[in-house]
Amino acid sequence: MYLRHIQRRKNGKEHAYWSIVESRRLADGRVSQRHVLYLGEINDAQERAWARAVEVFPDEAGPPQTMALFPEERLDPTADEGVPVVRLRLKELSLHRPRHWGACWLALYLWRQLQLDRFWSQRLKPGRKGTRWDLVLAVLTIYRLLAPGSEWRLHRQWFESSALADLLGVDFAVADPHKLYSCHDQILAHKSALFSHLGQRWRDLFRAEFDVLLYDLTSTYFESDPPLGENDKRQFGYSRDKRPDCVQVVIALIVTPQGFPLTYEVLAGNAADKTTLKEFLQKIEQQYGKARRIWIMDRSIPTEENLAEMRASEPPVQYLVGTPKGQLTKLEKDLLDRPWQQARAGVTVKLLPQEGELYVLARSADRVAKERSMRRRQFKKLWRRLHELQAMKLRREDLWMKLGAARQQSPSAWRLVAVAVHATEPTFTYHLKKDKLRQVRRREGQYLLRSNLTETDPAVVWHYYLQLVQVEQAFRNLKGDLALRPIFHQEQTRIEAHIFVSFLAYCLHVTLGQWLRTLAPGLTTRSVLEKFAAVQMVDVHIPTSDGRTLILSRYTQPEPDLQLLLARLKLELPAQPPPRITATAGGNEAAL
């Protein structure tokens, strides 16, 4: 194995993307390369660390080990001593029940590293019939992390195809559908305690700090038939999923710049963003105490009243928020004479102190190129469509409909074009708004930020705001990788419990991602889980001469690329399970 890099030019810059590649000798003598791990962009120190790790694993495997087996045909060395012997019928060896083991083992390892096994065993006591609710919840969470779907699919298909029963020491009873659904009814009461527990574990494991908080909201919709109950949180509202035809709930989330989620709340689907901040300020103070924290938010969340309360509190709550672009028009004259300062390569800023606040106008060269390209593409599409419509012979009503459709498809470009429909005839004229275009070009790639921070280093302020992408990444992981939607539950408490289980799975996801950033940079959580998923467990059945069956449950040995990954993550796989043997021919099993 060796490191390979590919140079690519993107947005005027050279980028190097790295992979670990394995050479394999083919039957005809040729050599083929197989990409083992994609690392993406890594820095020089990370490249050297990976190179040292690859050197530990030579291309050639070590000498094979010979094991002494005693098949039925071989003479028994102890026969003369009068000791009874049971021979193995190796010719009749068979393999049974292949199932996923590696990814399940890694997910359970993360569960125990966060000490969630202890946390839930203290709060979810065994049921009257001995049901281990903490283990049922572990199964639900690991399923959500590895192969998200409905509880019915977990019961009918997934649990049997996984090795969780072997790893947890349980039977199929934990995947009973009634137990899976009933578990949802018991977990919401422990949300607050869980947030405190996770915060402490992340401090212990990663020295996580919670002095910078990222706050944002998203929504998830339901394809159900309203009207619903008066107090039901499923309501129509502003849909971030572009599904205004469906009822939804709003999820408000607070994460740290490292991606650790501190708390979340499920709100009514018609909750306005600006009404949520005050509640969360109080929630964080109650959960983690008053401390110097910096809140970073999008422009739609805080109101002037919120910001005034944050400045007036003792100690003052510091914030950095985006502002509507209309605010830029008001401050444009004051900002005009301010000098541009270099925040980092390709990013310049202007600072404007005003009435106890600091306004920051930031301009990114990469963002300018991206927004300009998007505008040109949309404008060309709209201009071409208007030219086509002008040449058509349409009724007046049809013309209005087609113009409306063109406006909906290219809303940003439409603001740059003046369209005038003739008062009496179904014709129209159009022309470019040159003044508006000049204004748009001047503001492309610019952001106006607002803060009460005393920090005046432009690089620090810009870096703080860029961290807001972490909470957006959290929402992408919840909706995409962990398949938060669709939600199959109908009762409100179980809907919230479903989101809670998804939150638990995201905590495992984030913990693994943090380890990867430290020990195996360049790898993603999903790529590592897929690598571990290659390790399967099978039951080896060997009949004996007295009619019984020796059963060896064995996980497959990891390939060299996974051995490399295990070494980088400082993980050791557990010992193989002990063998079992059926008590009688075709009877029950007993451990040896």
Side-chain angles (χ1 to χ4, degrees):
M1 288 188 288
Y2 60 93
L3 284 174
R4 171 189 283 177
H5 78 281
I6 298 175
Q7 293 286 135
R8 290 181 181 172
R9 188 171 183 82
K10 183 179 179 182
N11 295 330
K13 296 181 181 179
E14 291 290 338
H15 297 265
Y17 299 94
W18 293 84
S19 298
I20 296 178
V21 178
E22 179 186 38
S23 294
R24 289 189 171 186
R25 179 80 55 186
L26 304 180
D28 59 2
R30 292 181 297 112
V31 176
S32 176
Q33 279 76 38
R34 180 177 74 96
H35 283 261
V36 173
L37 295 171
Y38 176 72
L39 305 178
E41 290 189 279
I42 57 178
N43 58 38
D44 294 341
Q46 293 165 347
E47 176 193 345
R48 290 191 294 270
W50 274 112
R52 288 194 298 270
V54 170
E55 289 173 0
V56 175
F57 293 87
D59 293 336
E60 298 297 330
Q65 295 181 347
T66 303
M67 299 185 66
L69 299 177
F70 296 89
E72 183 182 18
E73 293 81 2
R74 180 171 177 176
L75 295 177
D76 176 38
T78 62
D80 295 338
E81 301 176 8
V83 178
V85 174
V86 175
R87 296 185 178 90
L88 304 180
R89 302 178 183 271
L90 293 183
K91 290 183 178 179
E92 301 176 23
L93 179 148
S94 58
L95 303 179
H96 298 258
R97 291 189 59 224
R99 51 203 184 274
H100 304 294
W101 184 87
C104 294
W105 175 82
L106 180 59
L108 189 58
Y109 176 83
L110 296 169
W111 178 268
R112 289 167 176 166
Q113 283 294 304
L114 290 178
Q115 296 183 357
L116 292 174
D117 51 339
R118 299 184 192 177
F119 177 86
W120 289 111
S121 64
Q122 295 170 1
R123 289 165 175 80
L124 299 180
K125 300 300 182 182
R128 190 165 46 85
K129 297 181 179 179
T131 303
R132 289 286 303 274
W133 295 111
D134 57 324
L135 299 184
V136 176
L137 180 58
V139 170
L140 282 166
T141 304
I142 293 172
Y143 171 62
R144 178 60 45 184
L145 176 67
L146 301 182
S150 67
E151 284 75 11
W152 177 247
R153 175 174 170 267
L154 189 162
H155 156 76
R156 188 187 59 179
Q157 175 185 352
W158 185 82
F159 187 79
E160 281 290 280
S161 66
S162 77
L164 273 183
D166 305 84
L167 292 165
L168 293 171
V170 296
D171 56 23
F172 187 72
V174 298
D176 179 81
H178 300 291
K179 293 179 181 176
L180 296 175
Y181 290 121
S182 298
C183 184
H184 287 78
D185 302 331
Q186 306 181 45
I187 58 180
L188 287 177
H190 308 290
K191 273 176 63 175
S192 181
L194 177 71
F195 297 150
S196 298
H197 171 81
L198 289 172
Q200 186 58 50
R201 285 303 297 155
W202 285 322
R203 285 190 184 98
D204 296 341
L205 292 171
F206 307 110
R207 298 181 181 177
E209 297 180 352
F210 306 136
D211 53 352
V212 178
L213 304 182
L214 315 175
Y215 177 48
D216 206 354
L217 302 99
T218 191
S219 58
T220 183
Y221 63 87
F222 303 81
E223 294 184 347
S224 56
D225 296 325
L228 303 167
E230 182 179 348
N231 297 321
D232 201 301
K233 292 184 178 181
R234 290 171 289 178
Q235 300 290 336
F236 289 105
Y238 170 67
S239 175
R240 295 159 178 83
D241 300 306
K242 310 301 181 185
R243 289 299 303 270
D245 57 315
C246 296
V247 292
Q248 64 178 18
V249 295
V250 170
I251 301 174
L253 178 67
I254 295 178
V255 303
T256 69
Q258 294 78 28
F260 298 124
L262 288 189
T263 186
Y264 81 94
E265 196 60 57
V266 180
L267 309 172
N270 57 0
D273 293 2
K274 61 185 179 181
T275 64
T276 64
L277 179 58
K278 188 173 183 179
E279 176 185 349
F280 270 82
L281 288 171
Q282 297 172 352
K283 184 184 290 288
I284 290 295
E285 286 187 1
Q286 294 171 1
Q287 189 90 30
Y288 301 99
K290 284 193 174 184
R292 180 185 180 274
R293 294 191 180 90
I294 302 171
W295 287 73
I296 303 176
M297 298 166 280
D298 204 359
R299 61 178 178 264
S300 62
I301 297 175
T303 63
E304 289 294 335
E305 181 183 355
N306 293 145
L307 297 178
E309 290 179 0
M310 294 170 77
R311 292 193 297 269
S313 63
E314 190 58 42
V317 178
Q318 296 181 311
Y319 57 83
L320 175 63
V321 301
T323 62
K325 288 197 173 181
Q327 189 77 8
L328 182 57
T329 304
K330 299 178 182 178
L331 300 174
E332 202 163 23
K333 292 183 180 178
D334 296 326
L335 287 165
L336 192 61
D337 298 330
R338 296 276 170 172
W340 288 102
Q341 301 180 43
Q342 194 76 20
R344 65 174 192 177
V347 178
T348 54
V349 300
K350 288 185 177 184
L351 305 179
L352 176 64
Q354 194 174 84
E355 298 179 0
E357 291 184 302
L358 180 68
Y359 286 90
V360 183
L361 178 63
R363 182 175 62 190
S364 167
D366 290 342
R367 188 68 186 179
V368 168
K370 180 178 180 180
E371 290 185 5
R372 189 160 295 174
S373 175
M374 292 168 60
R375 174 180 55 77
R376 285 174 175 170
R377 185 166 58 250
Q378 195 176 112
F379 182 79
K380 287 179 181 179
K381 178 181 177 181
L382 175 63
W383 200 260
R384 185 169 55 250
R385 181 57 177 164
L386 291 176
H387 182 70
E388 292 172 355
L389 293 178
Q390 201 174 42
M392 294 181 182
K393 295 183 179 180
L394 301 169
R395 294 183 305 170
R396 188 176 184 82
E397 295 79 5
D398 294 336
L399 176 63
W400 278 112
M401 292 286 289
K402 291 185 181 297
L403 287 175
R407 177 179 180 176
Q408 186 176 15
Q409 292 176 3
S410 307
S412 299
W414 185 270
R415 291 192 284 268
L416 304 177
V417 180
V419 179
V421 179
H422 196 276
T424 58
E425 299 179 3
T427 59
F428 69 96
T429 59
Y430 61 95
H431 66 271
L432 177 65
K433 297 179 182 178
K434 295 184 178 179
D435 292 342
K436 185 69 173 177
L437 176 61
R438 279 192 290 268
Q439 183 187 62
V440 169
R441 284 178 57 87
R442 188 171 63 250
R443 293 182 178 180
E444 280 175 337
Q446 292 187 1
Y447 302 88
L448 184 62
L449 312 178
R450 178 180 182 182
S451 175
N452 64 343
L453 287 168
T454 56
E455 179 64 62
T456 57
D457 184 351
V460 174
V461 176
W462 176 253
H463 176 70
Y464 277 149
Y465 192 70
L466 281 185
Q467 292 171 340
L468 197 59
V469 300
Q470 288 293 339
V471 70
E472 296 171 355
Q473 182 62 42
F475 289 141
R476 281 194 291 271
N477 286 331
L478 281 168
K479 290 185 175 182
D481 210 11
L482 303 179
L484 174 66
R485 187 181 59 247
I487 299 177
F488 299 96
H489 301 282
Q490 297 299 318
E491 297 180 10
Q492 182 168 304
T493 55
R494 289 190 177 176
I495 289 171
E496 295 195 37
H498 168 87
I499 296 172
F500 185 59
V501 171
S502 300
F503 175 83
L504 280 171
Y506 179 65
C507 292
L508 303 185
H509 189 283
V510 167
T511 302
L512 178 56
Q514 186 65 26
W515 265 322
L516 294 176
R517 278 193 288 271
T518 305
L519 301 174
L523 297 181
T524 64
T525 298
R526 184 52 54 189
S527 67
V528 170
L529 289 172
E530 289 173 354
K531 281 292 177 185
F532 273 83
V535 180
Q536 300 271 309
M537 174 169 274
V538 294
D539 291 341
V540 182
H541 286 210
I542 307 177
T544 63
S545 57
D546 63 350
R548 293 185 291 173
T549 302
L550 179 67
I551 302 174
L552 302 172
S553 295
R554 292 292 182 265
Y555 60 80
T556 57
Q557 291 302 308
E559 295 295 323
D561 54 341
L562 185 54
Q563 292 179 28
L564 170 63
L565 189 53
L566 286 166
R568 290 293 297 163
L569 296 178
K570 302 178 182 179
L571 295 176
E572 291 186 9
L573 298 181
Q576 297 280 8
R580 309 185 306 276
I581 191 168
T582 55
T584 58
N588 296 326
E589 299 174 5
L592 291 180

